[in-house]
């Protein structure tokens, strides 16, 4: 006889899996955030950074402003 799990038991199982992976997700989020900032500070274009990150162009630009990173000058020249 097969004992099927109740919806609450299935929810408890899913919650345990979520909590086990939550720390790894937060660590990955912090790593990608640091890498985004490093790329922007190195003068990479926000569009190029967004293409290689899990974030949108708009979020990358806002994130740059919030972290004191000035927009690049017209013509694509990297600022020192």
């Amino acid at each position: 006889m097969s004992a099927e799990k109740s919806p609450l038991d299935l929810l408890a199982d899913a919650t345990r899996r979520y909590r086990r992976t939550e720390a790894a997700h937060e660590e990955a989020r912090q790593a990608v955030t640091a890498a985004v900032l490093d790329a922007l500070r190195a003068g990479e274009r926000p569009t190029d950074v967004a293409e290689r990150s899990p974030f949108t162009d708009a979020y990358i630009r806002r994130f740059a402003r919030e972290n004191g990173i000035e927009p690049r000058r017209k013509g694509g020249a990297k600022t020192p």
Side-chain angles (χ1 to χ4, degrees):
M1 178 159 116
S2 172
E4 289 191 32
K5 291 189 173 189
S6 74
L8 289 178
D9 288 338
L10 293 171
L11 173 58
D13 291 346
T15 299
R16 278 190 291 280
R17 283 190 304 275
Y18 176 84
R19 289 188 175 139
R20 274 196 313 264
T21 62
E22 190 174 20
H25 177 78
E26 178 59 20
E27 185 177 313
R29 188 193 65 74
Q30 289 178 10
V32 76
T33 298
V36 163
L37 283 174
D38 288 346
L40 292 169
R41 287 182 178 131
E44 298 299 336
R45 295 181 329 139
T47 299
D48 295 334
V49 173
E51 286 176 0
R52 291 164 177 82
S53 81
F55 307 124
T56 64
D57 284 346
Y59 180 81
I60 294 292
R61 285 179 172 78
R62 187 181 85 208
F63 192 58
R65 284 191 310 273
E66 289 172 352
N67 285 277
I69 300 168
E70 296 296 321
R72 290 176 58 168
R73 289 183 241 159
K74 296 273 185 196
K78 292 183 180 181
T79 55

